[in-house]
Amino acid sequence: MTGPATETPTAGLRRWGSGEFRRFGFLVYEAALWAGGDDPLRPPLALKLTYKRNISGRDIAEASVKEIRNLGVADEARLKGWGERMVVIFPDVRPGDHIVGVQMPDAAHFYFNDRSIGSIDDPDFARAFFAIWLDSRTSAPDLRAALLKRQGS
């Protein structure tokens, strides 16, 4: 009848802010944040990254581990395990592809072009992963400010 069902990971959440992430002046992705309540730092949250460049899933996972390491929220053994899980979950992306991460209190769920690609059922991982963008110590403070700026109602 029809193809595989697609999912809407942002269903039931309200759009907050959006912004761009650039590295060395090149646009890497556009990001948008959704939240379930009035606090965009409390789950449930959804963060959609729409990629503008070709990036391997391994590079996405390695960059995520590096950012979490820089926040100082996990030891090397946990970072290694999380990195191994992310390498399995994250696909290679091309311009126009998007990955949505959904933070629940006890897990992080990931979607690639609106299809579920995996979860990591660890509340510490979920907090650490979303801290890459939302922690006050993020390496991208301008993007954090843009994500946390509430859109007009």
Side-chain angles (χ1 to χ4, degrees):
M1 295 201 314
T2 61
T6 59
E7 301 185 41
T8 306
T10 58
L13 303 178
R14 282 198 308 252
R15 176 80 181 257
W16 277 73
S18 60
E20 297 179 339
F21 178 76
R22 293 178 180 273
R23 185 60 83 207
F24 307 117
F26 294 101
L27 180 59
V28 178
Y29 57 75
E30 293 173 346
L33 180 67
W34 283 262
D38 291 330
D39 182 351
L41 297 174
R42 291 186 47 157
L45 303 174
L47 183 69
K48 179 179 182 179
L49 304 182
T50 303
Y51 290 88
K52 303 301 180 181
R53 311 185 73 68
N54 293 316
I55 305 172
S56 75
R58 177 169 295 280
D59 285 349
I60 294 169
E62 289 174 357
S64 298
V65 167
K66 179 181 174 196
E67 292 295 328
I68 293 169
R69 178 181 292 118
N70 290 343
L71 292 170
V73 295
D75 62 32
E76 285 301 315
R78 293 196 88 185
L79 287 169
K80 182 177 188 295
W82 292 344
E84 290 167 355
R85 294 287 313 279
M86 287 188 282
V87 164
V88 171
I89 292 172
F90 294 146
D92 297 346
V93 298
R94 296 188 316 255
D97 286 339
H98 59 269
I99 294 177
V100 177
V102 177
Q103 181 188 3
M104 301 304 285
D106 58 348
H109 306 285
F110 297 98
Y111 301 82
F112 175 64
N113 295 339
D114 300 322
R115 295 189 193 326
S116 178
I117 54 173
S119 298
I120 298 179
D121 298 327
D122 178 340
D124 293 334
F125 169 79
R127 279 190 298 275
F129 183 80
F130 285 84
I132 292 170
W133 295 271
L134 301 176
D135 190 281
S136 61
R137 299 166 295 168
T138 181
S139 66
D142 292 344
L143 177 56
R144 177 184 187 265
L147 291 171
L148 295 178
K149 184 176 179 10
R150 190 149 194 186
Q151 300 291 305
S153 299

